[in-house]
Amino acid sequence: MKKALITGITGQDGSYLADLLVAKGYEVHGIIRRASTFNTARIDHLYQDPHVNGVRLFLHYGDLADSVNLTKLLYDLQPDEVYNLGAQSHVRVSFDIPEYTADVTGVGTIRILEAIRESGVKPRFYQASSSEMFGKVQEVPQKETTPFWPRSPYGCAKMFGHWATVNYRESYNLFACSGILFNHESPRRGETFVTRKISRAVAAIKLGLQKEIYLGNMDAKRDWGYAPEYVEGMWRMLQADEPDDYILATNETHTVKEFVEEAFSHAGLDWEKYVKYDARYERPAEVDLLIGDPAKAKRQLGWEPKVRFKELVQIMVDADLEMLEGKGLVHQHQA
């Protein structure tokens, strides 16, 4: 039985990756931070008695800021694969807490790479790199060879982690891959991210629970894919014969405004009645256009996206409608 360790297992990507690996028969271990409340909602369906249903999922307290704990965990678990998905992952928030973002998102990658080297364990390593590293894009579409120009503390931290991964691969002969993932969304996306903020607001407005939504720059263009497909791409990178870096993207770009229009339209609503502008959601430096070329991933990994923009928006709106209706909030409100 293969064994995998995932940082950031309680996040969108971590939870879908855990689903995928459990389905493939892996024993899955996840690192979670100690908090006063549980933050395991995305993986609770997996985290049951392993002796009853055969699911092999185990959680361990730890933090990307704690190198001693990371080294001990790696030594104790001896995983075959390590997926570093843990990060302060909100771009706008990274301007408010740049030092913390640099420490966890950037230096955290060095800590886990160093833990792999120190422990003597030889797992295959996946680093979650980001299209935000391209920032002020130097080429359209962006390829693995496109120069980086990050436009946020988050983008800078991800760039540090990316090059650290390349450096450890070349210096210590580690099987280390970076996946440069363009925006990927799902019903498990955090509610502070613009796509989920929109889909949830549409559902709440449709059900009479909310009157309006405030957004920042609606002209920003993004390459949006479906998260469950992207975590399969991560797994494929670690099954390859040689370690390498890959872009995962759809090679389509759409504005935030298009996402808004499609989401409201799907719910039978006129977006212009409900969407308001708020300058607080603008970034000090904006990334205007992201569109990735996934040709290398298709050629070398056999990976390509299937869910396209319109279907993605509809999946998210439908899921939020179902969730809000399921909570019984609508009936309480109308009563």
Side-chain angles (χ1 to χ4, degrees):
M1 184 184 286
K2 272 191 172 179
K3 195 184 287 186
L5 176 64
I6 304 171
T7 71
I9 194 169
T10 58
Q12 169 188 256
D13 291 7
S15 67
Y16 281 123
L17 181 61
D19 286 344
L20 179 80
L21 296 179
V22 164
K24 289 184 179 296
Y26 279 64
E27 179 177 302
V28 178
H29 294 262
I31 297 177
I32 59 169
R33 284 175 296 168
R34 170 75 184 92
S36 58
T37 55
F38 281 114
N39 181 31
T40 56
R42 293 186 181 97
I43 51 172
D44 281 345
H45 63 284
L46 287 174
Y47 194 53
Q48 296 154 12
D49 185 349
H51 305 295
V52 175
N53 60 13
V55 170
R56 311 292 293 174
L57 176 66
F58 304 92
L59 301 181
H60 308 268
Y61 285 120
D63 198 301
L64 286 169
D66 184 351
S67 55
V68 174
N69 174 259
L70 290 172
T71 306
K72 184 177 183 300
L73 259 179
L74 278 161
Y75 187 78
D76 290 347
L77 295 175
Q78 303 272 319
D80 299 288
E81 296 170 5
V82 174
Y83 296 86
N84 183 32
L85 312 184
Q88 190 301 98
S89 60
H90 199 287
V91 179
R92 176 65 193 83
V93 172
S94 76
F95 286 99
D96 301 326
I97 47 171
E99 186 182 337
Y100 175 78
T101 302
D103 185 46
V104 173
T105 307
V107 182
T109 308
I110 279 278
R111 290 193 188 102
I112 200 157
L113 285 164
E114 192 63 10
I116 289 170
R117 192 178 74 83
E118 282 283 319
S119 65
V121 184
K122 290 282 186 184
R124 295 188 166 204
F125 176 76
Y126 173 83
Q127 167 62 12
S129 288
S130 168
S131 58
E132 287 286 332
M133 301 188 306
F134 294 118
K136 189 175 177 181
V137 299
Q138 302 300 294
E139 184 179 23
V140 179
Q142 292 86 59
K143 303 181 180 73
E144 288 82 1
T145 51
T146 303
F148 299 134
W149 192 318
R151 298 268 285 169
S152 65
Y154 171 79
C156 294
K158 278 294 184 187
M159 194 168 151
F160 179 88
H162 177 84
W163 283 118
T165 302
V166 173
N167 183 247
Y168 271 65
R169 179 169 71 215
E170 293 175 352
S171 302
Y172 303 115
N173 200 28
L174 296 184
F175 192 107
C177 300
S178 273
I180 306 171
L181 272 56
F182 280 65
N183 293 60
H184 46 288
E185 318 297 317
S186 75
R188 295 186 195 174
R189 188 59 139 149
E191 290 171 17
T192 59
F193 291 85
V194 70
T195 51
R196 182 72 197 291
K197 180 178 173 181
I198 293 164
S199 68
R200 191 173 161 81
V202 167
I205 290 166
K206 178 74 174 175
L207 298 172
L209 300 170
Q210 189 172 322
K211 289 188 169 61
E212 56 201 5
I213 175 177
Y214 290 88
L215 296 170
N217 178 19
M218 299 222 315
D219 297 323
K221 293 180 178 176
R222 294 291 181 269
D223 183 325
W224 276 303
Y226 187 42
E229 296 180 347
Y230 284 52
V231 300
E232 196 209 332
M234 299 174 185
W235 175 79
R236 287 190 181 209
M237 287 178 211
L238 296 199
Q239 313 315 307
D241 293 334
E242 297 293 331
D244 207 343
D245 306 322
Y246 299 91
I247 279 174
L248 299 186
T250 69
N251 203 23
E252 280 181 31
T253 192
H254 297 273
T255 62
V256 175
K257 185 179 176 184
E258 284 177 76
F259 197 103
V260 166
E261 288 170 343
E262 183 59 46
F264 277 91
S265 168
H266 183 59
L269 298 169
D270 176 4
W271 72 271
E272 292 187 78
K273 292 180 181 174
Y274 305 102
V275 177
K276 305 282 192 289
Y277 172 76
D278 190 333
R280 288 178 303 172
Y281 296 118
E282 294 273 5
R283 300 178 187 178
E286 182 56 88
V287 173
D288 297 317
L289 166 67
L290 291 175
I291 177 168
D293 179 359
K296 180 179 171 182
K298 183 178 180 181
R299 189 173 64 249
Q300 293 182 209
L301 305 175
W303 181 91
E304 58 182 323
K306 295 177 180 64
V307 173
R308 294 295 176 171
F309 178 72
K310 190 169 183 171
E311 187 185 350
L312 171 67
V313 179
Q314 292 175 2
I315 287 170
M316 292 181 68
V317 171
D318 288 344
D320 274 325
L321 277 165
E322 192 179 319
M323 186 190 70
L324 290 179
E325 285 175 327
K327 283 184 173 177
L329 295 173
V330 187
H331 309 299
Q332 289 171 24
H333 189 77
Q334 289 170 348

